[in-house]
Amino acid sequence: MNNQHIRNFCIIAHIDHGKSTLADRLLEITGTIEKRKMQEQVLDQMDLERERGITIKLQPVQMRTLVNGEEYELNLIDTPGHVDFTYEVSRSLQACEGALLVVDATQGIQAQTLANLYLALEQDLEIIPVINKIDLPAAQPDHVADEVSHLLGVPKEDMVFISARTGLNVEAVIQKIVEKVPPPTGEISAPLKALIFDSVFDDYRGVVTYVRVEEGSIQAGSHLRLMGSDATSDALEVGVFTPKMKVRPVLNAGEIGYIVTGFKDVKAARVGDTVTLVDHPATQALPGYKTLQPMVYAGIFIKEGSEYEHLRDAIGKLKLNDAALSFEPEHSPALGFGFRCGFLGLLHLDIVQERLRREYNLDVIVTVPSVAYRITQTNGQVKIIASPLALPDPSVVKLIEEPWMKVDIVSPVEYIGAIMALLVEKRGKPRDQELEYVDPTRVIIHYSLPLSQIVVDFYDRLKNVSSGYASMGYDFIGFEPADVQRMDIIVAEEMVEALSTIIYKDEAQRAGRVVVEELKKMLPRQMFEVKIQASIGSKIVASERIPAMRKDVTAKLYGGDLSRKRKLLEKQKKGKAKMKSLGKVDIPQEAFLAVLKR
Ligand code: GTP
């Protein structure tokens, strides 16, 4: 199709403002999916997404529709709303010329609305505000439109007021996209430049890349080269998403689609790389994406030592489809070989763990997540450590610093007090302009917080103290000194490496107590007594015992003399002592979260 009739756009919004529902309606109206085949949130294709009701992965889809009597190709990329998946959003934006900014008419602008909007503005996208859920009695479309107008400087006439649930006015959204979003510009005759914005590994066909063709064109059989990795291959197939992959003879400049590359090595085709043709190559690669700084790290190990190869293969493949995941090999005396992985947050970690289990059938142990600390040693050496076990001995440490974030919380004014109390409890400090009023009823609270305080349960607590109304966004500002030390957990005289954490010195006693009490509730009882201790250096700061399960070995005895009974009890005692020395207590995965939430 000619460029002038193509529109590439994505939908951005705060979580639950109705992105996926609007995408469903667009697919229905354009006849991309027949109404009777329609299931809710069609674009959330992973089971995990449907179960949890959240979007995790970006998902492209191509629609065709008539507007003013002419046929248009609309390429939509649906994106996730949760902060942990922002990287998916920023990559999608770079493949588009426009964005629908969906705002819930009962909620107004929220923190993620702002964060995603700024990402879109950075990419110079045409923004079309869409005020959603106007069917709800609590909707205040006029008021919310004023907020949006104030924020974007867009007059109300340029906004679309819809109900994504009932379909009311969704046609007008399509009209606006065609009118407002600029068509892509690339030349079909120029050398091929296609940006890889996502990829998946197909067991039979190798790496399948999701691309936005900027210049030139590509078809099956084209001899392609990746400009970053310098790998070459013949394209096995090209096509578009409907949302299932559908073969097409050619992908032209301006279009969004996929290339089955035939690469078997997952490192050959990285997200952000540029695809060109060997025979008619581009001279300069596209700028690609900036690499991401992980927020939290955790070790991932397998329960069966022999499956290490399987884990390495799985993480490599998962990384293709989850560009925000980072990993490097790690070895622990107790847990064996595994990987130290970086994540964008705890939800991201949780999803990775779940995908390893479901998609690769792997039973993994995940160590207690930790942020990265910057250590200055007495010999002047500075290093970043991503694991509590890597913290050097206190005698050689001059300074430990931790990452701090700037946090912006949007909330109705009545919750200011409760939110501030939470911020202070979490060691927050107000920034220059502590309170910024959006209007008389709503405010943006500007604070700085240590990242370690945000990753645990800050978001849940914030939702709690604000009855669900407050929302937040955050960004890294730098490292600041932290008075911390390592706390180890010893179960049945054995240190459990996976449970070590770095904690504030002034919280050590209390945290140690909470953790051992929690573990006591969680660990299964054994045939022998199990001691659970929290230690800092060589000092035990808290201790608990789980009594042994008792089996009455004398139950079958009746009559007989006392010496027989004593003999049996003696035998039991010896057996227990033996078990204890061999005794390894299996630590359930929930225990790791208990340590974190201390
Ligand atoms: P994530 O994918 O998790 O980021 O959320 P989302 O923004 O895609 O929101 P989603 O489409 O899942 O909608 C959230 C909830 O709002 C769902 O229960 C929808 O049924 C509901 N919803 C969406 N649009 C409307 C609407 O126009 N009216 C009403 N009444 N409910 C809506």
Side-chain angles (χ1 to χ4, degrees), residues 13-22 40-41 44 53-55 79-82 132-136 162-166:
H14 188 73
I15 194 158
D16 278 350
H17 281 203
K19 259 184 335 286
S20 306
T21 311
L22 173 57
E40 253 177 62
Q41 276 136 34
D44 285 348
I54 54 170
T55 308
T79 60
H82 194 281
N132 187 30
K133 306 200 189 180
I134 58 169
D135 59 299
L136 289 176
I162 66 161
S163 164
R165 177 170 285 169
T166 65

Side-chain angles (χ1 to χ4, degrees), residues 134-421:
I134 58 169
D135 59 299
L136 289 176
Q140 294 184 291
D142 244 3
H143 178 76
V144 171
D146 280 337
E147 270 186 20
V148 174
S149 167
H150 181 71
L151 179 74
L152 277 173
V154 173
K156 271 192 209 171
E157 308 80 80
D158 284 348
M159 302 179 194
V160 197
F161 297 80
I162 66 161
S163 164
R165 177 170 285 169
T166 65
L168 178 71
N169 231 5
V170 175
E171 294 274 2
V173 175
I174 295 179
Q175 189 81 30
K176 268 278 194 279
I177 293 168
V178 168
E179 260 170 41
K180 291 274 176 184
V181 177
T185 50
E187 283 289 329
I188 295 186
S189 57
L192 175 70
K193 274 189 193 181
L195 175 69
I196 303 180
F197 63 89
D198 202 4
S199 45
V200 289
F201 192 83
D202 179 308
D203 281 337
Y204 302 102
R205 307 194 294 174
V207 178
V208 180
T209 57
Y210 291 21
V211 293
R212 157 69 200 260
V213 184
E214 297 286 348
E215 305 265 359
S217 66
I218 182 167
Q219 43 202 327
S222 297
H223 196 37
L224 57 86
R225 181 166 76 88
L226 292 177
M227 300 184 77
S229 69
D230 211 23
T232 56
S233 176
D234 290 326
L236 300 179
E237 180 185 309
V238 302
V240 297
F241 301 92
T242 63
K244 297 256 179 287
M245 291 187 194
K246 186 165 176 190
V247 187
R248 280 285 154 83
V250 61
L251 280 182
N252 283 326
E255 290 190 297
I256 289 172
Y258 68 89
I259 305 171
V260 181
T261 62
F263 289 121
K264 293 288 187 228
D265 176 9
V266 293
K267 289 201 193 76
R270 281 279 183 238
V271 157
D273 209 340
T274 303
V275 186
T276 192
L277 297 182
V278 174
D279 303 330
H280 186 30
T283 44
Q284 221 180 1
L286 297 164
Y289 302 112
K290 56 176 190 222
T291 37
L292 272 201
Q293 188 56 43
M295 296 290 169
V296 276
Y297 296 86
I300 295 190
F301 297 88
I302 42 254
K303 292 202 174 145
E304 302 298 321
S306 58
E307 281 194 283
Y308 174 71
E309 293 299 320
H310 184 179
L311 177 65
R312 189 174 58 190
D313 182 54
I315 290 191
K317 287 177 182 165
L318 190 58
K319 156 94 190 168
L320 264 189
N321 193 232
D322 182 355
L325 172 68
S326 70
F327 64 95
E328 50 187 75
E330 180 178 41
H331 178 257
S332 136
L335 299 167
F337 288 97
F339 293 92
R340 174 106 319 230
C341 300
F343 307 91
L344 292 188
L346 290 190
L347 178 61
H348 185 207
L349 187 166
D350 191 20
I351 297 294
V352 166
Q353 178 183 341
E354 191 64 22
R355 290 186 70 184
L356 284 173
R357 194 172 68 73
R358 290 180 186 217
E359 295 168 32
Y360 300 93
N361 214 357
L362 275 168
D363 204 5
V364 294
I365 296 175
V366 180
T367 64
V368 177
S370 162
V371 303
Y373 290 86
R374 184 162 73 185
I375 314 289
T376 309
Q377 299 194 347
T378 44
N379 64 9
Q381 202 193 349
V382 179
K383 62 178 178 185
I384 304 269
I385 58 151
S387 156
L389 296 174
L391 190 66
D393 189 80
S395 63
V396 300
V397 173
K398 193 162 119 200
L399 177 68
I400 305 182
E401 291 165 296
E402 64 178 334
W404 275 65
M405 313 301 279
K406 85 182 190 309
V407 179
D408 300 318
I409 296 171
V410 181
S411 168
V413 288
E414 55 267 41
Y415 302 106
I416 294 178
I419 293 173
M420 292 243 184

Side-chain angles (χ1 to χ4, degrees), residues 5 30 64-74 171 173-179:
H5 287 89
T30 56
R64 287 182 178 239
T65 188
L66 284 179
V67 177
N68 305 334
E70 292 183 51
E71 190 179 33
Y72 284 85
E73 171 184 317
L74 306 180
E171 294 274 2
V173 175
I174 295 179
Q175 189 81 30
K176 268 278 194 279
I177 293 168
V178 168
E179 260 170 41

Side-chain angles (χ1 to χ4, degrees), residues 543-563:
S543 179
E544 280 286 344
R545 280 160 199 278
I546 306 178
M549 240 174 335
R550 282 199 55 192
K551 184 172 158 200
D552 191 358
V553 287
T554 59
K556 282 200 201 125
L557 272 184
Y558 50 93
D561 69 275
L562 198 64
S563 70

